[in-house]
């Protein structure tokens, strides 16, 4: 046996995995943000993208910056949340909300809606428009939450690239919108700004699905394409949060390709529109009616 | 390479016809799972699964979030989502930014599968009009897997296989008609 030869260097993808794990650990120990229960493949992609965007050579280099430069934290959080969405993404879902869910919501004197993981707010404004057109907005309260402070700020501003407006207008009409999306925004240079009256009943708040608890009683929870980034146990925990937050018979709307097959908490939800992932909370004790 | 554990396939412009030919030639006893990323303009891949299923020797289904890759089944990436393979050999989805203007992106599927299966992976890159997949082919080869790239001269649109050959090279560069027989040979021995 040749004792002079050093240990075989691990392939660099394995080294990267070690570095990502240390990065996640540093983020948790130093700032309390826990990404350890995120789905690993996507998380690693995002971390590596962050490395590239920062022109760093290794994950370890940004781990060091993260530990020593608190100002770097928002950059990291923004990079790890990469919020991408559209207004009225999956128009069928918004049509179903309008046609199947709103008639039930209309029976409540006050309607509370939790938009969990609102990112840059495209869906918050979509929802507000939909409620407005259904005549329900005056008695609605939307809680729009995200753990990413800079995303929340952008959501509040409601300013988006004008190049997106065309697709969003098509989505809006496909969702059954009764006006023109242009009625709800003003365009200027390369940007559009959503009518700020649309957020008169929106509360934007920082809430982390990983670590925070229930904070409102909701009739509808929208959380689309957020849980896809969570491991099974975290997905299950979050569904538990939604269950505890929803009134009996309340609605949960997830992304159209999400699966509840590995979440024990899913037993509490009955599919109302299985294809579009709209669920209703079962009555808790089976008897309540 | 170890004995193959999984196959990933990427294609774009001209891809549907190429997949039809490829799937018709696969041995129905193939035990490996197959995952496919094909750029499409449609909102769902229902129709694609149906069309491809008509001539395929294996079952063609849409890849489902969190589900395990199933042996002998062809899984198609859903429209509008990146499809990833976790180390646990289960699928994950993401709506992160487009990669090479595409979501689903071939690079994203190939990268993640390369790390999940390492030298047990076979990657196949077919016809297409952009550079998506080139990085992924590089990653597959780097992790010890086998890369099969369609001969650009034989491809409906040569840009994609050409870009991959230039960036990463390939273990096999073949016309489409020869790819299914090669896969059968690699996977059944």
């Amino acid at each position: 046996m040749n004792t002079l030869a050093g240990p075989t260097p691990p392939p660099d993808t394995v080294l990267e995995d070690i570095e990502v794990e240390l990065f996640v650990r540093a983020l948790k120990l130093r700032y309390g943000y826990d990404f350890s229960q995120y789905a690993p493949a996507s998380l690693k992609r995002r971390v590596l993208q962050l490395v590239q965007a920062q022109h760093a050579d290794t994950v370890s280099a940004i781990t060091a910056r993260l530990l020593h430069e608190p100002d770097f934290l928002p950059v990291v959080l923004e990079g790890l949340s990469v919020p991408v969405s559209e207004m009225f993404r999956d128009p069928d879902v918004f049509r179903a909300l309008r046609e199947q869910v709103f008639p039930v919501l209309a029976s409540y004197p006050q309607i509370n809606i939790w938009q969990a993981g609102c990112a840059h707010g495209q869906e918050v404004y979509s929802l507000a428009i939909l409620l407005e057109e259904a005549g329900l907005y005056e008695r609605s309260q939307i809680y729009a939450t995200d753990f990413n402070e800079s995303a929340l700020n952008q959501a509040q501003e409601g300013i988006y690239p004008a190049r997106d407006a065309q697709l969003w207008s098509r989505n809006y009409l496909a969702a059954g919108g009764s006006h023109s999306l242009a009625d709800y925004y003003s365009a200027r240079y390369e940007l559009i700004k959503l009518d700020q009256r649309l957020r008169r009943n929106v509360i934007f708040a920082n809430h982390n699905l990983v670590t925070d608890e229930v904070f409102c009683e909701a009739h509808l929870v929208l959380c689309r394409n957020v849980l896809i980034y969570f491991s099974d146990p975290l997905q299950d925990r979050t569904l538990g949060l939604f269950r505890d937050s929803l009134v009996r018979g309340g609605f949960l709307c997830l992304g159209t390709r999400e699966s509840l097959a590995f979440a024990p908490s899913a037993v509490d939800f009955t599919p109302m529109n299985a294809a579009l992932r709209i669920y209703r909370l079962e009555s808790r004790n089976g008897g309540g009616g | 390479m170890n004995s193959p554990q999984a196959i990933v396939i990427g294609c774009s412009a001209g891809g549907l016809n190429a997949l039809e030919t490829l799937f018709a030639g696969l041995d129905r006893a193939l035990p490996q799972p197959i995952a496919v990323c094909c750029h499409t303009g449609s909102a769902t891949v229902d129709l694609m699964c149906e069309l491809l299923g008509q001539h395929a020797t294996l079952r063609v289904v849409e890849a489902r979030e969190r589900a395990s890759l199933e042996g002998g089944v062809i899984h198609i990436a859903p429209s509008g989502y990146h499809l990833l393979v976790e180390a646990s050999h289960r699928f994950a989805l993401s709506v992160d930014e487009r990669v090479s203007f595409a979501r689903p992106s071939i690079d994203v599927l190939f990268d993640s599968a390369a790390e999940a299966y390492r030298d047990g992976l076979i990657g196949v890159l077919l016809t297409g009009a952009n550079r998506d997949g080139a990085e992924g082919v590089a990653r597959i080869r780097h992790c010890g897997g086998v890369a099969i790239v369609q001969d650009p001269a034989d491809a409906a649109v040569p840009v994609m296989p050409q870009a991959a050959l230039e960036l990463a090279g390939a273990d096999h560069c073949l016309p489409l008609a020869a790819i299914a027989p090669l896969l059968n040979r690699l996977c059944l021995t």
Side-chain angles (χ1 to χ4, degrees):
Chain A
M1 186 174 160
N2 183 356
T3 50
L4 289 177
T8 316
D12 50 13
T13 58
V14 175
L15 202 56
E16 275 169 6
D17 289 340
I18 297 171
E19 288 187 284
V20 169
E21 200 175 319
L22 293 173
F23 171 84
V24 167
R25 187 109 184 97
L27 189 53
K28 184 179 177 190
L29 290 175
R30 177 78 168 87
Y31 301 103
Y33 286 95
D34 186 0
F35 285 84
S36 63
Q37 290 292 310
Y38 272 56
S42 275
L43 180 65
K44 182 173 179 182
R45 264 202 98 79
R46 287 175 170 189
V47 172
L48 294 180
Q49 268 164 11
L50 196 59
V51 171
Q52 213 169 35
Q54 293 299 314
H55 307 290
D57 291 326
T58 60
V59 177
S60 302
I62 60 167
T63 306
R65 278 193 66 192
L66 180 65
L67 287 171
H68 297 287
E69 302 171 28
D71 289 349
F72 187 45
L73 176 65
V75 179
V76 168
L77 293 181
E78 179 78 4
L80 292 187
S81 59
V82 200
V84 182
S85 190
E86 299 165 12
M87 286 190 77
F88 299 98
R89 182 185 160 115
D90 305 318
D92 289 352
V93 171
F94 286 91
R95 187 182 275 276
L97 286 176
R98 204 174 55 113
E99 292 173 358
Q100 296 170 33
V101 174
F102 283 10
V104 181
L105 294 184
S107 65
Y108 296 104
Q110 158 87 28
I111 303 164
N112 291 335
I113 299 174
W114 178 13
Q115 168 99 50
C118 70
H120 288 165
Q122 290 94 332
E123 295 210 337
V124 179
Y125 291 100
S126 307
L127 198 59
I129 289 171
L130 218 58
L131 289 163
E132 188 93 270
E133 293 185 359
L136 296 174
Y137 194 49
E138 287 315 324
R139 54 192 162 111
S140 297
Q141 177 72 63
I142 301 175
Y143 299 94
T145 65
D146 204 279
F147 74 87
N148 176 356
E149 197 66 40
S150 79
L152 275 177
N153 289 335
Q154 289 184 52
Q156 296 195 52
E157 285 178 352
I159 296 174
Y160 306 101
R163 64 172 183 274
D164 292 338
Q166 208 178 0
L167 170 67
W168 296 0
S169 294
R170 279 203 308 274
N171 286 352
Y172 164 79
L173 291 175
S178 47
H179 299 81
S180 155
L181 187 62
D183 296 345
Y184 297 100
Y185 66 77
S186 49
R188 200 177 221 190
Y189 306 109
E190 303 297 303
L191 299 171
I192 60 170
K193 182 170 172 65
L194 271 296
D195 186 343
Q196 291 300 282
R197 275 176 31 85
L198 288 172
R199 39 169 266 219
R200 65 189 185 279
N201 292 339
V202 182
I203 293 174
F204 291 93
N206 195 307
H207 181 277
N208 191 335
L209 291 170
V210 181
T211 43
D212 293 335
E213 299 298 330
V214 170
F215 69 95
C216 71
E217 181 175 75
H219 303 95
L220 164 64
V221 173
L222 260 103
C223 184
R224 303 207 312 136
N225 297 327
V226 175
L227 305 188
I228 55 175
Y229 294 104
F230 292 179
S231 66
D232 296 348
L234 184 55
Q235 180 201 34
D236 188 53
R237 179 198 123 90
T238 311
L239 287 169
L241 274 190
F242 295 159
R243 175 196 57 217
D244 296 342
S245 181
L246 281 167
V247 301
R248 199 169 58 199
F251 297 89
L252 171 66
C253 180
L254 301 174
T256 58
R257 289 295 177 274
E258 294 189 47
S259 163
L260 298 185
F262 295 86
S265 297
V267 299
D268 298 320
F269 296 97
T270 311
M272 194 196 75
N273 186 328
L276 298 179
R277 304 295 193 269
I278 301 175
Y279 303 85
R280 277 193 97 166
L281 182 65
E282 291 275 301
S283 58
R284 278 184 210 173
N285 308 316
Chain B
M1 141 166 236
N2 259 321
S3 62
Q5 292 176 46
I7 301 168
V8 288
I9 301 171
C11 58
S12 185
L16 208 54
N17 286 335
L19 289 176
E20 240 176 59
T21 307
L22 181 66
F23 293 164
L26 293 177
D27 193 304
R28 60 181 71 242
L30 224 61
Q32 289 82 4
I34 299 174
V36 180
C37 173
C38 177
H39 300 159
T40 165
S42 10
T44 73
V45 295
D46 295 352
L47 193 62
M48 194 196 297
C49 292
E50 199 183 312
L51 286 174
L52 291 172
Q54 286 171 1
H55 301 285
T57 52
L58 302 170
R59 200 150 59 88
V60 184
V61 300
E62 178 177 331
R64 291 188 42 233
E65 199 223 351
R66 293 177 201 268
S68 294
L69 283 80
E70 202 181 327
V73 174
I74 298 166
H75 308 79
I76 309 284
S79 179
Y81 293 80
H82 292 304
L83 178 67
L84 301 96
V85 181
E86 297 285 3
S88 57
H89 297 171
R90 287 166 58 192
F91 286 119
L93 299 178
S94 116
V95 286
D96 282 6
E97 297 280 5
R98 289 162 184 274
V99 174
S100 298
F101 310 104
R103 192 177 57 214
S105 146
I106 301 165
D107 281 338
V108 173
L109 174 64
F110 281 18
D111 281 3
S112 59
E115 295 192 18
Y117 288 100
R118 309 204 66 85
D119 62 359
L121 184 70
I122 300 175
V124 181
L125 192 70
L126 305 172
T127 169
N130 73 9
R131 301 185 49 84
D132 191 20
E135 294 279 352
V137 168
R139 193 79 154 182
I140 288 172
R141 302 195 77 201
H142 178 84
C143 290
V146 169
I148 303 170
V149 175
Q150 184 178 6
D151 182 351
D154 175 66
V157 185
V159 178
M160 187 180 276
Q162 189 66 49
L165 290 174
E166 281 165 16
L167 182 81
D171 299 281
H172 306 273
C173 177
L174 299 168
L176 181 63
I179 294 178
L182 173 65
L183 285 174
N184 292 336
R185 203 165 68 240
L186 291 174
C187 292
L188 286 169
T189 47

